[in-house]
Amino acid sequence: MHATAPPSRRSWPWIVGAAILIGALIIAGAVYFGSQADTDTPTAEPTIPIESSTPSPSTAPVETEPTGCLGGDARDAAMVLTAQQEAPHTSSGAVDFAASFVRWIQRFPYPAADDAAAVGDSAMARESFTDDLVSYLAAGPDLSGGIVAPGDEYYMSTIPGVWVIEAANNDRVEVTIGSAFVVNGALSPTLKSSITVVAVWEDGQWKIADANGTRTTEALYSVGRPFTEGC
């Protein structure tokens, strides 16, 4: 993937796009950004109630701004399932739940098998990108897209995170989540990732139906709205 910086009043030191396709999960657009780019996030727009029609990207209706930390700051199954229980049947709830899933799955070491089984049983849609999270993670996918060296510990933080709703109706929300790499315990000022998650409303809760790549990180951070908290 090649990413080209748009015209800007800033000078971006270097940008390298990265995308991975592991089975049905694609994490796209992990890009090196200059540290100044982190401060160039757009201001959140006023929100309106969810509609049944499909909104345009970056102007999708929400009721309250997503926090990026629903379920708490842990990265275990309990956090994902708490976020699922707490997420309201709104576009904002779907965004926050999707962010909790990204924080849980995109890391190394991978989630434990017990955690993967719990999330797989409760938080995955009937038709999803995998019907066996335990086996999926046991296969050792490179969920950093080559950004993090093999064996290095990392996870994703939504503190400098952003989000864009790509499409939404009452029972299906497609949202792209931007988050930053925390490598060996240090939050990177330059390494970020973009992943598009589809959440569907099933059995009275949001569940994960798909995760793929639709935007480069550069494109996402140029239009994304920041989370109100992040963790």
Side-chain angles (χ1 to χ4, degrees):
M1 176 185 299
H2 178 69
T4 304
S8 171
R9 58 187 173 83
R10 301 176 192 260
S11 175
W12 295 33
W14 31 275
I15 300 175
V16 178
I20 58 171
L21 170 57
I22 309 293
L25 176 62
I26 310 173
I27 295 179
V31 180
Y32 289 91
F33 270 81
S35 59
Q36 290 184 341
D38 291 339
T39 64
D40 198 19
T41 18
T43 303
E45 301 173 1
T47 61
I48 58 177
I50 191 168
E51 300 173 351
S52 59
S53 59
T54 300
S56 300
S58 81
T59 60
V62 293
E63 306 69 28
T64 58
E65 296 293 308
T67 67
C69 201
L70 192 65
D73 59 4
R75 284 167 172 79
D76 54 18
M79 178 275 292
V80 177
L81 300 184
T82 297
Q84 184 184 35
Q85 293 169 2
E86 295 179 349
H89 189 189
T90 62
S91 59
S92 179
V95 172
D96 252 337
F97 173 59
S100 76
F101 181 75
V102 171
R103 290 190 291 118
W104 173 78
I105 196 170
Q106 194 179 0
R107 60 190 170 98
F108 185 84
Y110 303 109
D114 288 349
D115 269 19
V119 171
D121 288 344
S122 299
M124 305 302 287
R126 286 185 287 273
E127 295 184 8
S128 188
F129 68 86
T130 179
D131 58 3
D132 189 346
L133 269 179
V134 176
S135 296
Y136 173 82
L137 293 171
D142 180 5
L143 300 181
S144 82
I147 295 300
V148 180
D152 281 359
E153 295 187 5
Y154 78 92
Y155 62 87
M156 309 309 297
S157 172
T158 52
I159 291 175
V162 298
W163 56 276
V164 168
I165 291 180
E166 308 288 358
N169 59 40
N170 287 337
D171 295 328
R172 185 183 186 278
V173 174
E174 180 179 349
V175 56
T176 304
I177 303 291
S179 54
F181 284 85
V182 179
V183 183
N184 294 324
L187 178 66
S188 173
T190 58
L191 299 177
K192 293 180 173 63
S193 177
S194 169
I195 179 171
T196 300
V197 178
V198 176
V200 296
W201 187 260
E202 285 184 2
D203 305 322
Q205 294 178 309
W206 288 112
K207 297 188 178 184
I208 302 299
D210 201 6
N212 53 69
T214 60
R215 289 179 181 266
T216 65
T217 308
E218 177 191 358
L220 172 61
Y221 271 80
S222 70
V223 299
R225 294 158 66 167
F227 290 107
T228 60
E229 296 179 23
C231 59

